[in-house]
């Protein structure tokens, strides 16, 4: 009785959600003239409480980013830079394993355009975006801006906000609610900004810490370490007094910091915070950086040396002889140039990682790196007696360099994986990626144990205790990776390796498209948890008729976080899983599938009036026209003729295990 009572409450709770078309983001637009031939287009959304609208800068592999598309741009106007956004919040999504970026409470997008065609009358734009709470909705909003004819005299005018045609009807019944939301919007925006600032500070501290550790790693390379005692001895012996030597060494350290921080400032200034963030999620950028990291790694392993032109070093070195503050500054610059073959790959990697955070992260990263580089020069100048305690230069320095080379090589494949995931090429699926990492770290373990050597290694009669301990640690990590080939989650590496779903088989090596030894039917695939899943509606229905089983329609999305939560947390339950495997035919319809339909299948929706050009738009229209909702996940149990089997609650969405199991059993009983 308790289960039945709970089920009735759940049905009542979800009845209203599933019986209407939700539109949690209410949009308005405005046009502002900037110059005679340029305008600023503003799109503003009031977002209902607890809903998230995802930014255009949310990274690939997570929820769908906002896209702003201009329909009549060619030959009429050009875009000035990328669209600017109001404050957003960044948070880690443990389902997609990315730092997603989203708006709360309010969103504003601004795009500057420059008119090319003086006869242009309107600007047509389309916003595609995803908004999520317990469910996710993929939306498309159309806007049309009229170019004012009275602005030719050069005076700046502002057009009153105009509601777009699609959202006007939706907004009309709830103007009272919208007014209440507008009065409270400043409070929610202020709260969102505070949360966003907290997340940004946390991210900057992470960048600083990683950069600081990387700076110490760079110190232990053969390009830098031998220079520490030489440089400190120079300052202490060449200066007239010990105080002057200490002062000069400290200024030398500060000069190192200034040089690298200026580098971070240059990168941030040239590209800009928003452009850096967008660049870090770009397919071609990831591919180019993969090639660059492999190049750096091969250099670290000893194939060749990366050096800046000798003329640069000679010219800077000659300036260092000038003495005084200027001379010391040029000495620090000479260190940066001479040590580039060791520090360049590390600095390049840090700048890219910092770029993904945007803002001043590159500056913070370079400050952390240079601070670690500079501290030993300052410390040993203050306490020169400790110079004797430094280990002697030798073959161990090359070992550090080779170790970093293996790490660079492993990291390179993360960038190649990013590109492969975005393009969905399935060339670097989870098993292949893990096999590459197992090979890289396995060879590194053999290297540390002295079983193989690199070109510049010194002959060894034994290995040190520290090297043996590091070898054991790397070997342990390598062994840890191996079960991942058979489907182990490998949570320690989840931020680097492709997700479980992106693999040759959901079962890992050995599954290979089969479930219990039975090949998938025509038009189906073996999906999550070994389930037979159809993605073609007609083939799924035809198969259901041959096996005489009810049909479970799963309206889902590749970028639907709550769809993944249902699959991971509810479908995985043994009671639910047995039902999905044995008692229903599962058809998953992806509403964000961007594949274009054949021209013969493209049409105009009779329900919404929208154009249906892609596979995802086809299933969205099917869901809206038949079930009067636009949310995902959405589940419907039907008979072989498409009639709903759950008469009291035809559809269900994001729920718990018991509710979902009871709903399935009730529908199956009615088949």
């Amino acid at each position: 009785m308790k289960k039945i009572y709970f089920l009735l409450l759940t049905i009542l709770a979800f009845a209203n959600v599933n019986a209407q078309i939700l539109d949690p983001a209410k949009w308005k637009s405005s046009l502002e003239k900037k110059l005679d031939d340029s305008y600023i287009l503003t799109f503003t959304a009031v977002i209902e409480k607890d809903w998230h609208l995802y930014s255009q800068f949310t990274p690939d592999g997570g929820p769908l980013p906002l896209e702003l598309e201009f329909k009549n741009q060619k030959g009429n106007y050009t875009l000035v830079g990328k669209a600017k956004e109001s404050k957003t919040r960044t948070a880690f999504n443990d389902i997609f394993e990315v730092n997603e970026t989203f708006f709360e409470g309010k969103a504003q997008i601004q795009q500057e355009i420059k008119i090319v065609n003086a006869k242009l009358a309107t600007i047509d734009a389309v916003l595609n975006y995803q908004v999520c709470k317990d469910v996710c909705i993929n939306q498309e909003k159309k806007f049309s801006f009229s170019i004012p004819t009275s602005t030719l005299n050069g005076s700046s005018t502002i057009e009153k906000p105009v509601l777009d045609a699609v959202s006007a009807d939706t907004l009309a019944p709830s103007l009272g609610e919208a007014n209440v939301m507008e009065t409270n919007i400043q409070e929610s925006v202020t709260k969102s900004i505070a949360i966003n600032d907290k997340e940004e500070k946390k991210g900057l501290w992470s960048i600083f810490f990683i950069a600081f550790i990387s700076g110490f790693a760079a110190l232990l390379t053969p390009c830098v370490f031998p220079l520490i005692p030489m440089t400190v001895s120079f300052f202490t012996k060449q200066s007239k007094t010990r105080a002057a030597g200490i002062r000069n060494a400290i200024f030398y350290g500060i000069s190192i910091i200034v040089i690298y921080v200026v580098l971070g400032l240059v990168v941030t200034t040239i590209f800009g915070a928003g452009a850096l963030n967008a660049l870090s999620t770009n397919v071609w950028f990831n591919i180019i950086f993969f090639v660059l990291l492999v190049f750096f790694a091969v250099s670290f392993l000893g194939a060749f040396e990366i050096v800046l032109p000798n003329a640069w070093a000679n010219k800077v070195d000659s300036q260092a002889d000038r003495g005084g503050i200027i001379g010391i500054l040029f000495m620090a610059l000479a260190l940066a140039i001479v040590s580039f073959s060791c520090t360049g790959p590390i600095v390049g990697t840090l700048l890219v990682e910092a770029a993904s955070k945007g803002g001043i992260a590159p500056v913070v990263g370079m400050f952390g790196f240079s601070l670690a580089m500079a501290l030993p020069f300052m410390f040993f100048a203050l306490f020169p007696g400790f110079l004797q305690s430094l280990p002697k230069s030798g073959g161990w320095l090359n070992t550090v360099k080779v170790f970093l080379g293996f790490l660079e090589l492993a990291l390179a494949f993360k960038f190649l994986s990013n590109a492969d995931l975005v393009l969905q090429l399935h060339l670097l699926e989870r098993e292949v990626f893990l096999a590459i990492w197992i090979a890289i770290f396995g060879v590194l373990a053999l290297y540390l144990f002295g079983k193989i050597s690199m070109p510049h290694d010194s002959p060894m009669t034994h290995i040190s205790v520290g090297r043996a301990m590091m070898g054991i640690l790397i070997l342990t990590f390598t062994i840890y990776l191996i079960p991942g080939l058979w489907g182990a989650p490998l949570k320690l590496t989840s931020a680097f390796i492709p997700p479980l779903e992106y693999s040759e088989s959901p079962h890992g090596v050995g599954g290979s498209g089969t479930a219990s030894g039975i090949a998938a039917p025509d038009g189906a695939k073996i999906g999550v948890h070994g389930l037979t899943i159809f993605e073609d509606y007609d083939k799924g229905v035809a198969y259901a008729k041959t096996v005489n089983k009810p049909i479970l329609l799963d309206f889902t999305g590749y970028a639907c976080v709550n769809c993944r939560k249902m699959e991971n947390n509810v479908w995985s339950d043994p009671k639910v899983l047995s039902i999905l495997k044995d008692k229903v035919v599962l058809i998953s319809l992806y509403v964000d599938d961007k594949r274009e339909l054949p021209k013969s299948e493209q049409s105009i929706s009779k329900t919404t009036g929208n154009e249906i050009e892609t596979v995802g738009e086809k299933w969205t229209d099917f869901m809206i026209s038949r079930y009067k909702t636009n949310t995902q996940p959405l589940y419907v149990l039907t008979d072989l003729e498409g009639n709903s089997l759950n008469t009291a609650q035809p559809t269900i969405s994001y729920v718990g295990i018991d509710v979902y199991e009871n709903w399935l059993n009730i529908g199956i009983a009615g088949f």
Side-chain angles (χ1 to χ4, degrees):
M1 287 299 295
K2 287 183 178 179
K3 284 188 175 181
I4 294 174
Y5 180 67
F6 181 70
L7 176 62
L8 290 173
L9 286 177
T10 304
I11 288 172
L12 289 173
F14 280 92
N16 289 332
V17 172
N18 291 330
Q20 60 180 314
I21 306 300
L22 297 181
D23 189 16
K26 308 297 190 299
W27 289 90
K28 61 184 180 181
S29 60
S30 63
L31 175 74
E32 177 184 353
K33 187 172 184 181
K34 185 177 181 181
L35 299 171
D36 286 349
D37 59 349
S38 64
Y39 293 85
I40 294 177
L41 312 181
T42 302
F43 308 84
T44 305
V46 176
I47 307 167
E48 293 181 11
K49 186 179 179 181
D50 297 329
W51 287 84
H52 294 166
L53 190 155
Y54 293 97
S55 158
Q56 61 187 325
F57 299 121
T58 206
D60 295 316
L64 288 181
L66 179 145
E67 293 181 356
L68 179 56
E69 180 183 0
F70 291 90
K71 292 292 188 181
N72 62 335
Q73 178 183 348
K74 189 174 181 181
N76 291 317
Y77 55 92
T78 58
L79 305 182
V80 181
K82 193 170 179 67
K84 297 179 180 179
E85 296 183 346
S86 57
K87 277 284 186 179
T88 55
R89 178 185 170 190
T90 299
F92 183 73
N93 186 316
D94 57 357
I95 299 297
F96 291 123
E97 298 172 351
V98 298
N99 285 316
E100 60 186 17
T101 304
F102 53 86
F103 300 96
E104 288 181 323
K106 186 177 182 180
Q108 188 174 84
I109 313 295
Q110 287 190 328
Q111 176 66 63
E112 183 178 347
I113 59 102
K114 185 175 182 179
I115 303 295
V116 176
N117 180 7
K119 297 181 180 179
L120 181 67
T122 62
I123 297 173
D124 299 324
V126 178
L127 269 177
N128 290 288
Y129 60 93
Q130 186 177 73
V131 59
C132 294
K133 188 173 67 170
D134 292 331
V135 293
C136 290
I137 303 169
N138 300 327
Q139 293 281 67
E140 178 181 278
K141 297 293 184 183
K142 296 180 180 179
F143 299 82
S144 185
F145 299 86
S146 297
I147 305 299
T149 56
S150 59
T151 61
L152 296 177
N153 58 6
S155 61
S156 178
T157 63
I158 301 178
E159 190 179 86
K160 291 183 178 180
V162 180
L163 292 178
D164 63 276
V166 176
S167 63
D169 294 338
T170 310
L171 184 60
S174 58
L175 283 176
E177 178 187 354
N179 288 335
V180 173
M181 292 179 69
E182 285 287 359
T183 59
N184 296 325
I185 196 66
Q186 189 58 46
E187 180 181 348
S188 63
V189 170
T190 302
K191 182 179 178 181
S192 176
I193 291 172
I195 295 173
N196 191 45
D197 289 343
K198 185 177 179 181
E199 293 289 337
E200 286 181 0
K201 289 177 181 177
K202 184 178 178 181
L204 291 176
W205 275 111
S206 299
I207 286 291
F208 175 82
F209 179 75
I210 293 170
F212 192 76
I213 297 299
S214 300
F216 274 119
L219 278 171
L220 301 178
T221 60
C223 312
V224 181
F225 187 81
L227 298 178
I228 296 174
M230 290 172 55
T231 306
V232 172
S233 297
F234 171 80
F235 284 123
T236 54
K237 292 179 181 179
Q238 297 299 320
S239 301
K240 294 181 179 180
T241 63
R242 183 173 183 274
I246 293 173
R247 184 175 62 250
N248 291 339
I250 291 175
F251 186 78
Y252 179 74
I254 293 173
S255 299
I256 293 173
I257 296 174
V258 169
I259 288 167
Y260 283 101
V261 168
V262 167
L263 176 61
L265 280 171
V266 169
V267 171
T268 304
T269 303
I270 291 176
F271 294 102
L276 281 171
N277 191 291
L279 188 65
S280 66
T281 59
N282 180 273
V283 171
W284 287 109
F285 174 82
N286 279 283
I287 293 174
I288 291 170
F289 201 70
F290 161 74
V291 174
L292 191 61
L293 277 185
V294 171
F295 180 76
F296 285 152
V298 172
S299 171
F300 268 173
L301 294 176
F304 52 83
E305 291 287 337
I306 303 174
V307 293
L308 293 176
N310 288 330
W312 293 14
N314 293 335
K315 189 170 183 179
V316 169
D317 193 52
S318 65
Q319 294 296 320
D321 295 333
R322 295 173 58 178
I325 292 176
I326 299 298
I328 294 173
L329 181 62
F330 275 101
M331 282 184 65
L333 185 57
L335 170 70
I337 293 174
V338 170
S339 65
F340 182 80
S341 61
C342 293
T343 60
I346 301 173
V347 169
T349 306
L350 278 174
L351 285 173
V352 172
E353 177 62 24
S356 66
K357 306 296 181 184
I360 62 169
V363 178
V364 173
M366 288 299 94
F367 175 71
F369 177 83
S370 58
L371 181 63
M373 287 273 290
L375 281 177
F377 293 97
M378 300 180 184
F379 175 81
F380 288 113
L382 289 171
F383 308 101
F386 282 95
L387 280 173
Q388 302 301 320
S389 63
L390 280 178
K392 301 297 181 182
S393 298
W396 68 272
L397 289 174
N398 191 67
T399 301
V400 173
K401 191 176 177 183
V402 171
F403 182 84
L404 293 174
F406 278 105
L407 294 185
E408 292 268 357
L409 188 61
L411 184 60
F413 284 93
K414 168 58 180 171
F415 290 92
L416 186 62
S417 175
N418 288 344
D420 185 59
L421 281 166
V422 173
L423 296 174
Q424 289 290 299
L425 297 177
H426 291 269
L427 298 176
L428 197 61
E429 292 175 319
R430 186 181 176 91
E431 293 89 347
V432 178
F433 186 97
L434 283 173
I436 293 171
W437 266 33
I438 290 168
I440 291 173
F441 287 104
V443 173
L444 174 56
L446 291 175
Y447 172 76
L448 291 173
F449 287 129
K451 300 302 180 183
I452 60 175
S453 61
M454 291 296 168
H456 301 296
D457 284 329
S458 303
M460 284 193 307
T461 57
H462 66 280
I463 61 172
S464 65
V465 174
R467 182 165 175 161
M469 295 298 290
M470 182 59 70
I472 292 172
L473 180 64
I474 295 299
L475 182 60
T476 302
F477 179 71
T478 305
I479 296 171
Y480 168 79
L481 292 175
I482 294 174
L485 296 172
W486 284 270
L490 304 181
K491 293 182 179 179
L492 289 178
T493 60
S494 59
F496 295 92
I497 63 178
L500 284 164
E501 295 79 13
Y502 196 74
S503 59
E504 293 181 0
S505 166
H507 309 291
V509 175
S512 302
T514 64
S516 303
I518 302 174
D522 180 43
K525 70 174 186 180
I526 304 301
V528 62
H529 308 307
L531 290 169
T532 300
I533 302 175
F534 287 86
E535 294 181 1
D536 184 294
Y537 178 77
D538 293 331
K539 289 183 178 180
V541 171
Y543 179 76
K545 290 179 179 179
T546 63
V547 297
N548 194 34
K549 290 182 180 180
I551 298 165
L552 176 61
L553 293 180
D554 164 34
F555 290 96
T556 183
Y558 294 112
C560 172
V561 63
N562 288 318
C563 303
R564 301 294 86 77
K565 286 182 179 178
M566 284 293 292
E567 293 165 5
N568 294 342
N569 303 329
V570 177
W571 285 13
S572 61
D573 181 80
K575 296 176 292 184
V576 174
L577 190 57
S578 64
I579 295 173
L580 298 180
K581 281 187 174 182
D582 303 326
K583 297 183 179 180
V584 299
V585 173
L586 179 58
I587 303 177
S588 293
L589 305 176
Y590 288 83
V591 300
D592 55 1
D593 190 333
K594 299 299 184 182
R595 290 177 297 164
E596 189 173 344
L597 288 167
K599 293 295 182 182
S600 59
E601 296 183 25
Q602 296 182 13
S603 62
I604 302 296
S605 170
K606 296 179 181 179
T607 305
T608 64
N610 293 336
E611 296 177 350
I612 302 174
E613 298 177 342
T614 67
V615 173
E617 289 169 350
K618 174 184 176 180
W619 300 135
T620 300
D621 186 66
F622 177 46
M623 176 173 54
I624 292 174
S625 60
R626 184 168 295 191
Y627 303 109
K628 311 304 178 187
T629 185
N630 58 343
T631 62
Q632 306 89 47
L634 185 76
Y635 307 102
V636 188
L637 264 174
T638 76
D639 60 20
L640 302 178
E641 305 303 321
N643 302 307
S644 296
L645 293 172
N646 299 73
T647 53
Q649 176 70 3
T651 65
I652 200 167
S653 186
Y654 184 66
V655 294
I657 294 171
D658 290 339
V659 173
Y660 195 71
E661 181 197 2
N662 288 335
W663 179 82
L664 287 173
N665 286 329
I666 290 171
I668 293 169
F671 179 64

